[in-house]
Amino acid sequence: MNNFTYYVPVRIHFGKGEISKLHDEITSIGKNVLLVYGGGSIKRIGVYDQVIEQLKDCNVFELGGVDPNPRLKSVEDGALICKENHIDVVLAVGGGSSIDCAKAICAAAYYDGNPWDFIVDSSLIKKALPLVSVLTLSATGSEMDNTAVITNPQTKDKRGFGSRHLFPKVSILDPTYTYSVSKYQTASGVADIMSHTFETYFNDTKDAYLSNEIAISILKTCIKYGKVVYDEPDNYEARANLMWASSLAINGLISCGCGKSWSCHPMEHVLSAYYDVTHGAGLAMLTPKWMTYILDDSTVDKFAEYGIEVWGIDASLPPMEIAKTAIANTEAFFHSLDLPSTFEEIGIPDTSTLEEMAQMAVDSKGGTIKGYRKLEFQDVVNIYHMCQGK
Ligand code: NZQ
Ligand code: ZN
């Protein structure tokens, strides 16, 4: 088990009605609040009104219209509001896009140059405004990590960045807020949570047993409740377990003692930057292809473990057979949630950009994706080609 430092300074209020804690949490920080949200779902489902009620003795400024795959422009707009109005605290209400945009705004409020500078080089972030989040979609884990992902449409560049200054101070997780999430976004969220878990679970450390078992439990939770929630959107037990899985998959817990080795995310972020695809759907398409591509004698035991522990495949079968069945089960599970498995299904009609995108993907990681197995430019091209279907 490797040495590690674990520090997650986020207070979580979890459960139905926990929005009642928002007033005291916000006013203990300050009265000037920037409320950041997306395209209006929080108004349709009534969360906006509940938030405004909690903030009735605050000065509330608003930045709505944050896009899925949030853009640099929203960050600049939000930073300007903060600078002009002495904002004390930023409150994000929504999914990962609103929370990520709010994180970048918190940093940009104390940065004089173009925010893209610190998105590319996060060591430039020396200070940030405090952030509070109210989550409405279980997927990214942004509610409990210190990472954000922002797109620069001009350069078709989508970048993740992190800083110790960007953890939310408080996150409110009410599973009932996710009842209204569409089937497609719900399924994409499940795929995203599973991908965060895969990105850590597939590593070469042999003795981080506890972290490994927690990862297995998160994967089983997604499989158990993913289908339930797809068929019964207002099943509280399923929504609640998925919401907590979202946070635990990426808050560093499962990488304690074993590190991280992300592979599919750099390949997906380029697809989102070029074609604005839904992040989790892109991961659902790529993940089984990536698994198949890297399956060999050096990885077969880990994939067999995955098959036995997560899918309950008969351990007496040959490891390669177990591994292939596990990958097939993964793809079939995503298929059962109507998630795409090809470029055509995800809505990418033109595949003439595959090589350009592969170059962007490896460039974003310094020339090589150093995941569970190293991926060079040609490997990424090959994996993208596998997504072209037959
Ligand atoms: O725009 P609004 O009105 O918010 O509607 C959203 C959006 O259309 C809607 N939605 C959210 N909650 C809803 C709802 N609709 C009905 N009822 C609700 N309760 O769902 C759509 C997608 O929302 P979005 O916030 O974009 O989704 P998600 O949470 O999946 O966030 C995706 C973004 O997060 C990044 C992704 O790359 C992508 O840009 N990621 C952030 C990470 C992080 N911070 O650690 C890690 C992830 O790997 C990921 O890269
Ligand atoms: Zn993700």
Side-chain angles (χ1 to χ4, degrees):
M1 187 145 165
N2 304 335
N3 295 6
F4 63 88
T5 300
Y6 188 64
Y7 179 63
V8 186
V10 185
R11 183 176 300 121
I12 299 289
H13 296 296
F14 188 100
K16 199 181 280 186
E18 288 295 294
I19 196 75
S20 62
K21 312 263 171 66
L22 184 64
H23 174 269
D24 288 357
E25 291 289 9
I26 290 283
T27 53
S28 72
I29 302 172
K31 292 260 176 179
N32 289 344
V33 183
L34 173 62
L35 172 59
V36 176
Y37 56 95
S41 63
I42 65 161
K43 292 189 174 168
R44 288 193 293 279
I45 66 175
V47 178
Y48 176 87
D49 290 342
Q50 293 179 14
V51 167
I52 294 297
E53 171 66 21
Q54 290 289 315
L55 301 179
K56 61 181 178 234
D57 54 359
C58 296
N59 307 314
V60 181
F61 299 80
E62 294 194 19
L63 178 78
V66 173
D67 295 304
N69 301 321
R71 316 288 198 267
L72 181 60
K73 175 78 169 60
S74 296
V75 178
E76 292 168 333
D77 292 348
L80 193 62
I81 299 174
C82 292
K83 287 174 178 170
E84 286 180 348
N85 299 286
H86 306 289
I87 294 295
D88 300 311
V89 50
V90 178
L91 170 62
V93 183
S97 294
S98 296
I99 302 175
D100 283 4
C101 182
K103 285 178 179 171
I105 290 169
C106 289
Y110 284 114
Y111 189 76
D112 285 333
N114 185 326
W116 194 254
D117 300 346
F118 66 72
I119 290 169
V120 173
D121 175 8
S122 60
S123 70
L124 296 171
I125 303 173
K126 306 292 182 204
K127 200 175 171 189
L129 280 171
L131 170 69
V132 172
S133 86
V134 175
L135 184 66
T136 65
L137 198 169
S138 306
T140 65
S142 189
E143 67 277 6
M144 207 175 172
D145 73 13
N146 63 350
T147 306
V149 188
I150 300 295
T151 298
N152 184 342
Q154 278 168 344
T155 55
K156 292 186 179 162
D157 204 353
K158 180 176 180 182
R159 293 268 178 146
F161 64 103
S163 160
R164 62 196 304 169
H165 303 292
L166 296 184
F167 285 106
K169 299 276 177 250
V170 177
S171 285
I172 294 178
L173 278 57
D174 182 337
T176 65
Y177 290 175
T178 65
Y179 286 175
S180 55
V181 178
S182 69
K183 280 188 187 292
Y184 188 64
Q185 289 293 341
T186 296
S188 298
V190 170
D192 193 20
I193 300 167
M194 289 179 74
S195 177
H196 298 157
T197 314
F198 289 139
E199 300 276 33
T200 301
Y201 171 75
F202 286 103
N203 69 73
D204 284 317
T205 312
K206 301 271 183 265
D207 56 358
Y209 176 83
L210 178 57
S211 297
N212 203 54
E213 290 292 308
I214 298 171
I216 288 168
S217 296
I218 293 171
L219 292 169
K220 288 166 79 169
T221 299
C222 290
I223 293 163
K224 176 178 166 74
Y225 289 114
K227 197 73 179 88
V228 174
V229 90
Y230 196 67
D231 297 330
E232 300 168 45
D234 54 359
N235 183 311
Y236 185 84
E237 177 183 330
R239 289 289 190 188
N241 278 281
L242 288 171
M243 197 169 222
W244 192 222
S246 147
S247 305
L248 294 190
I250 203 173
N251 73 355
L253 186 64
I254 61 172
S255 58
C256 288
C258 57
K260 304 174 188 177
S261 52
W262 290 42
S263 306
C264 290
H265 274 67
M267 292 191 282
E268 193 293 316
H269 282 165
V270 184
L271 302 184
S272 293
Y274 271 64
Y275 296 103
D276 208 15
V277 301
T278 297
H279 172 64
L283 292 167
M285 177 186 72
L286 285 165
T287 300
K289 313 297 192 285
W290 165 77
M291 289 175 163
T292 302
Y293 190 76
I294 64 159
L295 177 61
D296 61 18
D297 288 347
S298 75
T299 58
V300 65
D301 289 345
K302 189 70 188 175
F303 279 104
E305 179 200 276
Y306 165 59
I308 294 162
E309 299 293 335
V310 175
W311 291 104
I313 299 169
D314 180 355
S316 66
L317 292 168
M320 191 54 87
E321 187 179 334
I322 300 173
K324 287 183 178 170
T325 307
I327 296 170
N329 286 359
T330 310
E331 187 148 38
F333 174 68
F334 290 146
H335 188 68
S336 77
L337 300 181
D338 288 329
L339 287 165
S341 62
T342 63
F343 281 129
E344 193 183 350
E345 286 172 8
I346 207 170
I348 298 181
D350 164 22
T351 48
S352 63
T353 53
L354 293 193
E355 300 206 344
E356 195 182 313
M357 292 195 298
Q359 193 62 56
M360 289 283 270
V362 292
D363 284 352
S364 74
K365 293 289 155 193
T368 305
I369 297 176
K370 300 169 195 70
Y372 179 40
R373 288 296 172 267
K374 266 193 209 166
L375 300 176
E376 309 285 358
F377 164 75
Q378 193 55 48
D379 299 312
V380 178
V381 171
N382 294 344
I383 292 169
Y384 284 160
H385 275 303
M386 291 166 77
C387 299
Q388 288 184 292
K390 307 216 166 47

